[in-house]
Amino acid sequence: MEIPFPKCIDTRKCFARNKFKDCTILKETWPRDGACKFCKAEKEVTNGRRYPLRQG
């Protein structure tokens, strides 16, 4: 049985949300808009610093 992704209610731009508004990295929905601590626009940027992804 496949577990569905939780629906994202956060309105901020996030790399992990797909076109169906599903969160592809978390197992649960955060309780309110703006509460997700993992929401970020770019996967490789954290707190303004770029961490390049490894290739290979």
Side-chain angles (χ1 to χ4, degrees):
M1 183 174 142
E2 187 175 325
I3 299 172
F5 294 119
K7 290 291 179 193
C8 180
I9 61 170
D10 208 309
T11 56
R12 297 174 292 171
K13 186 176 179 182
C14 185
F15 78 93
R17 184 174 39 244
N18 67 19
K19 66 180 179 179
F20 303 109
K21 298 234 180 233
D22 298 328
C23 180
T24 60
I25 59 172
L26 299 178
K27 295 180 181 177
E28 61 196 38
T29 300
W30 288 79
R32 60 182 160 68
D33 183 23
C36 182
K37 296 175 185 177
F38 301 98
C39 182
K40 57 184 189 174
E42 296 180 60
K43 182 186 278 188
E44 53 283 320
V45 177
T46 302
N47 293 327
R49 183 171 176 186
R50 183 169 296 277
Y51 296 90
L53 300 174
R54 286 189 195 181
Q55 299 297 322

